[in-house]
Amino acid sequence: MSMRFLVRGTATLACVTLASAALLSPAAASPQVFGTSALSSTAFQKFAPLPHLPAIPSEDEIAKAKTSEAATAAAASELEAILSSANDRLQATSMAALGASDAYTEALVVLAQRQAEAETTRAKSDAARTANSKAKTALGQLAGDLYKSGGMGLSVQTLVTSDDSDDALYKASTLMALSSNRANTFASAEAAASTSAALDAQALAASTAAKEATATAESSRALAQSAADAQAAVVVDNQAQRDVLLQRLASLHNTTVALEGARVDALAQKARDEALKEQIAASKDAPAPVRPPVTGTTPAVIPAVPQAPAAPAPKPVSPAPKPAPKPANPAPQQPKPPVTQAPKPPVTQTPKPPVAPAPAPAPAPKPVAPPKPPVIKPPVAPSGSYTKVMVNYAMSKIGSPYQWGGNGPNAFDCSGLVQQAFAAAGKSVPRQGSDQFWAAPVRVPLSQMQYGDLLVFNEDGNGRFSHVAIYIGNGQVVQALNYSEPVAVTSLAYMTPYMTLYPYAARY
């Protein structure tokens, strides 16, 4: 039977305590290399299972209670209180299961990030190793040339023994350029070796971070499985205890189990509807949500790469190619520039500037460039267009199985369904539910929620949530809730007994 219909009855604490210990024990959790989105220890304590179970009245006690109206009423109240207390235990395990599932999703996001970093740094390391090899080859060639020529290259020897003694300046600049080129060869080889070593270290660090992220993801999945198993056990126990309690009520009221079940369900449904209505109305006065300062994952710590120093040095080679400038000829040309002809051009150009003001009206059309305001319209237009496409996609996935970390196209977790629904409408949103909520440009109280808004649940006190769903109107959401249920449309009223609805909705 579906979990959301089993919010009454009692439950044993054996499975719940086992899973809670696994989720709460710091020693059992592996080191986290990412920002945790699972429930905080305070939240876990708030929704921890009750320390003891109320005892169910025996058949003899029910028989004695039927001797008077007052005793009958008291016994009925006790039985109904036990039924409603099951909500607390179901809420505790649901919170733990959703928190563990969200932590696993975040672990997968971090894993993908670490793997991408490892791949990128590995490629850079390979490229640096190739560059280092080339630099070594160039350095070897230079060393060989210097050895063969006694420290002076063939080009240098030719230059020095040239008969063109008038080009002394050119010779000097060329010798400087050749010397600079040699220095650059040595510097480049040294920089290439240093860069290659640093990038090798980066690749190693990134690979280590990826392995740690893999281990964390595997550990998170194990915790999610334990929490889900505990939740399923509570659902089964609730159903068994509910059957016993309904039998007691039927005996007490001289009715049938079916009639008592219908009566209890009707009363519970009425209470849930009223509670949801009150919560929505109260959202108008709820304090505005404040985005947490840090969300998402942090990059792995990877060693920096030293920057190559004298790369611009080869540029001095450019002055050398200039052929021998004969100093005798340029000298007479220098007095010619001061001739009055130089001032004359500006004089002739000055009358022309007054003609330039005429084209000044030409820039006037540029202000017409405020067609940029239409760029502001797109955010408004899509709000009505892609929302329907997004919701239709989510609705088309009804019946698809739930999967931890599922991101479609055939299986989903809660935030995976939301992300793929927006992607189908051409809108990019973050992968995790908390980030999806805070990335929305608009957040409104539940009293103003509308079709297509995102609703989040189980806030941990730090702006992180363990579940997200898409509101479709009439008090309903389409969602991927947990592994015991496929993607489905659910009434918010059914969720409130075991989940905490945040007082604000997010709107894209």
Side-chain angles (χ1 to χ4, degrees):
M1 183 176 289
S2 177
M3 180 191 66
R4 64 172 188 262
F5 296 107
L6 301 178
V7 294
R8 294 162 298 277
T10 59
T12 61
L13 288 178
C15 295
V16 179
T17 304
L18 178 62
S20 298
L23 288 169
L24 297 178
S25 173
S30 61
Q32 301 290 311
V33 295
F34 53 89
T36 57
S37 63
L39 296 177
S40 65
S41 58
T42 302
F44 271 125
Q45 293 170 4
K46 178 180 178 182
F47 297 104
L50 299 180
H52 61 82
L53 290 169
I56 299 176
S58 65
E59 293 181 358
D60 290 341
E61 290 173 328
I62 295 298
K64 292 178 181 179
K66 295 171 68 175
T67 58
S68 69
E69 291 185 5
T72 299
S77 297
E78 182 181 0
L79 292 171
E80 290 172 0
I82 296 174
L83 278 169
S84 63
S85 69
N87 293 343
D88 298 327
R89 276 169 288 281
L90 186 57
Q91 184 183 57
T93 55
S94 297
M95 293 282 285
L98 290 170
S101 176
D102 187 65
Y104 177 55
T105 298
E106 183 168 354
L108 292 179
V109 172
V110 173
L111 175 58
Q113 178 181 337
R114 296 293 182 261
Q115 289 175 334
E117 290 171 353
E119 184 177 351
T120 299
T121 53
R122 193 180 302 112
K124 289 181 179 179
S125 177
D126 292 342
R129 198 174 293 110
T130 301
N132 185 29
S133 177
K134 292 181 179 179
K136 286 182 178 179
T137 301
L139 186 60
Q141 291 176 348
L142 176 60
D145 291 343
L146 292 176
Y147 177 77
K148 293 176 182 178
S149 61
M152 182 177 293
L154 180 61
S155 59
V156 176
Q157 294 177 5
T158 303
L159 181 66
V160 172
T161 58
S162 174
D163 295 333
D164 191 357
S165 57
D166 294 334
D167 293 341
L169 182 60
Y170 174 70
K171 291 179 181 180
S173 69
T174 303
L175 285 172
M176 290 177 62
L178 290 172
S179 176
S180 176
N181 285 338
R182 289 180 181 178
N184 288 336
T185 301
F186 284 104
S188 296
E190 183 180 3
S194 177
T195 300
S196 178
L199 284 172
D200 283 343
Q202 274 197 355
L204 177 61
S207 177
T208 301
K211 290 178 181 178
E212 292 175 352
T214 300
T216 300
E218 292 173 353
S219 174
S220 296
R221 192 186 191 290
L223 291 177
Q225 182 66 63
S226 297
D229 291 344
Q231 183 185 32
V234 169
V235 171
V236 172
D237 289 341
N238 275 5
Q239 180 60 51
Q241 297 295 339
R242 170 184 164 85
D243 292 343
V244 174
L245 290 166
L246 291 180
Q247 289 173 3
R248 299 288 191 273
L249 284 171
S251 174
L252 186 65
H253 294 149
N254 294 320
T255 59
T256 65
V257 171
L259 288 175
E260 287 300 319
R263 181 182 67 82
V264 169
D265 287 347
L267 291 174
Q269 180 61 50
K270 182 179 179 181
R272 289 193 296 266
D273 290 340
E274 291 176 353
L276 179 62
K277 184 177 179 180
E278 291 175 1
Q279 184 177 6
I280 293 175
S283 68
K284 294 184 295 185
D285 302 320
V290 178
R291 182 170 188 165
V294 179
T295 58
T297 60
T298 56
V301 179
I302 298 176
V305 180
Q307 296 181 352
K315 291 183 179 178
V317 178
S318 57
K322 293 183 179 179
K326 298 179 181 179
N329 296 334
Q333 291 176 352
Q334 289 176 349
K336 292 179 181 177
V339 179
T340 56
Q341 292 177 351
K344 287 179 182 177
V347 176
T348 55
Q349 292 174 351
T350 46
K352 291 180 181 177
V355 181
K366 291 183 180 177
V368 179
K372 293 180 180 178
V375 176
I376 302 175
K377 292 181 181 178
V380 180
S383 64
S385 59
Y386 68 66
T387 300
K388 187 173 182 180
V389 176
M390 181 268 291
V391 174
N392 285 345
Y393 176 90
M395 296 293 287
S396 73
K397 296 301 178 179
I398 289 177
S400 297
Y402 179 94
Q403 179 183 359
W404 291 308
N407 201 29
N410 300 318
F412 305 85
D413 64 9
C414 64
S415 57
L417 177 64
V418 171
Q419 186 186 51
Q420 293 306 310
F422 274 102
K427 181 73 174 178
S428 176
V429 299
R431 174 62 179 89
Q432 294 173 277
S434 299
D435 297 332
Q436 290 167 353
F437 177 84
W438 293 115
V442 178
R443 285 172 286 279
V444 299
L446 294 178
S447 57
Q448 300 175 26
M449 64 181 173
Q450 64 185 31
Y451 179 88
D453 287 351
L454 299 185
L455 304 184
V456 287
F457 301 80
N458 308 334
E459 199 260 340
D460 69 351
N462 297 308
R464 307 296 294 178
F465 310 94
S466 65
H467 183 62
V468 62
I470 303 172
Y471 185 65
I472 59 174
N474 299 322
Q476 295 180 315
V477 293
V478 57
Q479 63 178 351
L481 181 57
N482 58 56
Y483 89 117
S484 67
E485 298 181 35
V487 175
V489 172
T490 311
S491 169
L492 285 172
Y494 275 111
M495 301 169 67
T496 52
Y498 61 94
M499 297 178 67
T500 304
L501 177 61
Y502 193 66
Y504 276 80
R507 183 173 301 161
Y508 280 87

